[in-house]
Amino acid sequence: LCFCFRENGYLDLLIELNNKIYYHMKSLLTYTELEDYLYNHFNKIVELKYVSEKCISSKVDVKLLLLLKSVSIDITVDEIKDAEIHLSYSGGVAIDTIIKGIGVFNKSKMKNDAFAIDTSTQKVVIYLWRIEQLHKIIDTCIFKDVKFSPEHAQIEVILK
């Protein structure tokens, strides 16, 4: 185990396992950065709020029939195992209906089954290794954790 201080005051952690050195890295993304990304890539205005270290709340306007309804969903990171992210969600009947629709779309349109949805337990598993665009990242990183604070989301990885 080795600690290295950078000029900007950040502390890096180097881990040695089986004669290999791994670089421990934490990336911080503000909620504004995440909201901007979602708007720019999906044309959706999403409001993210901190709930706890493992949970955020997301609010988005959804068109249901002729009505524009604001729906909220709490998303909890239950576990990160290998290249799988295990989530749970809650948000009421409207969210359950939307999630069921996503599950049907996933089964009919997606070739790689990048995620699995169990609406009876309100659980979602995202299989990062099944997403072709992430193969290079997964080959170089081990995802360790995702945590939330009132200001940002923190993604923790170990570089191989």
Side-chain angles (χ1 to χ4, degrees):
L1 210 52
C2 175
F3 296 96
C4 302
F5 286 97
R6 286 192 262 160
E7 288 180 19
N8 60 8
Y10 285 93
L11 176 68
D12 291 334
L13 173 65
L14 300 176
I15 302 168
E16 184 175 347
L17 289 171
N18 300 326
N19 295 324
K20 284 180 131 180
I21 302 263
Y22 296 94
Y23 178 77
H24 185 257
M25 183 176 76
K26 293 180 182 179
S27 294
L28 303 177
L29 298 167
T30 67
Y31 297 122
T32 303
E33 290 172 321
L34 292 169
E35 291 165 349
D36 289 346
Y37 177 85
L38 293 170
Y39 180 76
N40 291 330
H41 287 81
F42 301 104
N43 204 28
K44 285 283 183 189
I45 297 172
V46 178
E47 181 183 326
L48 299 172
K49 286 187 184 174
Y50 169 80
V51 176
S52 71
E53 186 176 83
K54 289 293 185 180
C55 183
I56 59 170
S57 179
S58 173
K59 184 174 161 183
V60 66
D61 291 332
V62 177
K63 190 172 183 179
L64 300 171
L65 300 175
L66 298 174
L67 300 172
L68 190 62
K69 180 158 174 63
S70 183
V71 295
S72 294
I73 182 171
D74 288 346
I75 303 166
T76 303
V77 179
D78 295 326
E79 178 182 24
I80 296 180
K81 182 170 56 175
D82 300 322
E84 297 177 2
I85 300 176
H86 296 252
L87 306 170
S88 55
Y89 65 89
S90 61
V93 177
I95 291 298
D96 287 339
T97 303
I98 292 167
I99 298 290
K100 284 178 186 175
I102 291 170
V104 169
F105 175 81
N106 182 46
K107 288 184 181 188
S108 67
K109 301 289 182 191
M110 304 288 276
K111 297 176 185 173
N112 60 3
D113 291 323
F115 57 93
I117 299 171
D118 184 348
T119 53
S120 65
T121 61
Q122 295 184 319
K123 302 281 185 187
V124 176
V125 179
I126 302 171
Y127 302 105
L128 299 175
W129 50 273
R130 290 184 179 170
I131 302 171
E132 188 175 328
Q133 295 88 336
L134 295 179
H135 285 176
K136 287 183 182 178
I137 294 171
I138 291 168
D139 289 343
T140 59
C141 297
I142 300 168
F143 288 88
K144 296 304 288 178
D145 203 3
V146 173
K147 293 179 184 174
F148 304 104
S149 78
E151 300 84 29
H152 58 262
Q154 173 182 297
I155 301 166
E156 187 176 338
V157 298
I158 294 178
L159 299 176
K160 296 179 185 177

